Amino acid sequence: MIYNLGSINADFFYRMPRLPGPGETLAATAMSSGLGGKGANQSVAVARAGARVRHIGSVGSDGRWLVDQLAAAGADVAGIRISDLPTAHAIVMIDSAGENQIVIYPGANHDQCPEQIKAAFAEASPGDWLLLQNETSHQLEAAEMANGIGMCVAYSAAPFDADAVARLLPHLSLLIMNEVEAGQLTKALGKPVLHLPVANVLITKGAKGADWHDTRLLQTVSIPAFSVDPVDTTGAGDTFAGYAVAGLSQGMSPQGALRRAAAAAAISVTRPGTADAIPTLVEVEAFLA
């Protein structure tokens, strides 16, 4: 079982001829909305990878439709509470090459509570996984609870904050970052990746694939990306992370889990949207075949 203390956003997408510069106003060519947030995206990816996932999070009274979408995707939503704060939302601008700029309002994502998290862990067992990202409150408390149960803890260090990562490192089984975040962390801590105080580090590199670093064995496994024509890169990292942790929880080797995750991410960037773009396991297996 995978538990995910994660953000839940209403995503608003604006297709742009190009991304605007400072002080510039541009007209969008199309607009749509849907379920998003790094946490929700990862829960959808886990569920579509065939693993069980319980999402822990908060939405405002205006966000019940997002909870319904998470449930429809296969996530257990018993750990989601209704907050007095508005539901979080994101403004996503996407250019003709599929690149994006994103502005986030955190809202209810910063209104988690320890009692809610503890109740969601009531059925957790040693060997289960906890997924965390840097878009909610109470990450450290959740990690400490998970450690007490004997769970594995994976943390996506985005949006990046070196201090937040440093606080969580002693509690992690797996740290997930992109190349830029990895550079920022190694500079902040003064240590190379293989000397970071965490058992495993997963670094995503977009079109260049991903690297899995085992800091105990001082070994690195590299997985290439699949070549596709991108339409929208929003949420690709979350698709990769969710599929990767799902694979690990299902007993796959890091190499096998990352290859399947790379295929899922490749499919996702050929589609518009975030959670809606995440492929099913059947689609991923067909792609790999």
Side-chain angles (χ1 to χ4, degrees):
M1 180 76 166
I2 297 173
Y3 296 81
N4 183 5
L5 173 61
S7 54
I8 305 172
N9 292 355
D11 279 355
F12 298 96
F13 303 94
Y14 298 87
R15 303 296 307 196
M16 310 292 293
R18 56 184 173 79
L19 299 176
E24 183 179 18
T25 299
L26 287 178
T29 58
M31 183 268 183
S32 61
S33 61
L35 171 66
K38 296 190 69 64
N41 295 339
Q42 291 185 13
S43 281
V44 171
V46 169
R48 291 186 178 160
R52 294 174 59 213
V53 59
R54 170 170 291 176
H55 194 95
I56 308 167
S58 298
V59 296
S61 58
D62 57 337
R64 297 177 191 272
W65 65 279
L66 299 169
V67 179
D68 292 341
Q69 288 202 10
L70 262 175
D76 177 338
V77 297
I80 299 175
R81 62 188 283 269
I82 303 300
S83 168
D84 292 333
L85 295 178
T87 300
H89 65 260
I91 305 298
V92 185
M93 294 179 289
I94 307 155
D95 70 12
S96 57
E99 293 300 324
N100 61 62
Q101 288 180 351
I102 305 173
V103 176
I104 295 174
Y105 168 70
N109 287 333
H110 284 186
D111 189 31
Q112 317 297 334
C113 69
E115 293 78 14
Q116 160 205 8
I117 299 166
K118 184 177 180 180
F121 284 164
E123 301 167 13
S125 303
D128 286 345
W129 282 80
L130 170 64
L131 264 174
L132 298 169
Q133 313 82 32
N134 203 27
E135 290 186 340
T136 68
S137 58
H138 293 82
Q139 299 151 12
L140 181 58
E141 293 92 334
E144 290 172 340
M145 290 183 204
N147 288 167
I149 297 169
M151 299 167 68
C152 303
V153 181
Y155 175 57
S156 293
F160 184 77
D161 181 320
D163 292 336
V165 179
R167 287 193 295 270
L168 280 164
L169 274 176
H171 306 283
L172 302 182
S173 310
L174 172 62
L175 173 62
I176 305 172
M177 303 177 286
N178 63 30
E179 273 190 302
V180 173
E181 293 157 353
Q184 291 173 327
L185 182 63
T186 55
K187 181 178 180 180
L189 298 184
K191 297 180 179 180
V193 169
L194 283 173
H195 291 168
L196 292 175
V198 58
N200 299 288
V201 181
L202 171 56
I203 299 177
T204 59
K205 302 187 296 183
K208 295 183 290 182
D211 293 333
W212 174 279
H213 301 277
D214 186 324
T215 65
R216 296 164 299 184
L217 300 177
L218 299 180
Q219 293 180 348
T220 298
V221 174
S222 297
I223 299 294
F226 293 92
S227 180
V228 295
D229 294 324
V231 171
D232 181 358
T233 59
T234 313
D238 297 328
T239 300
F240 191 100
Y243 256 86
V245 173
L248 296 171
S249 77
Q250 293 164 328
M252 298 179 73
S253 67
Q255 186 168 9
L258 266 59
R259 182 171 182 269
R260 193 176 73 171
I267 296 171
S268 75
V269 302
T270 65
R271 304 168 173 176
T274 45
D276 291 339
I278 298 171
T280 64
L281 183 57
V282 170
E283 292 175 310
V284 172
E285 289 176 340
F287 180 92
L288 289 170

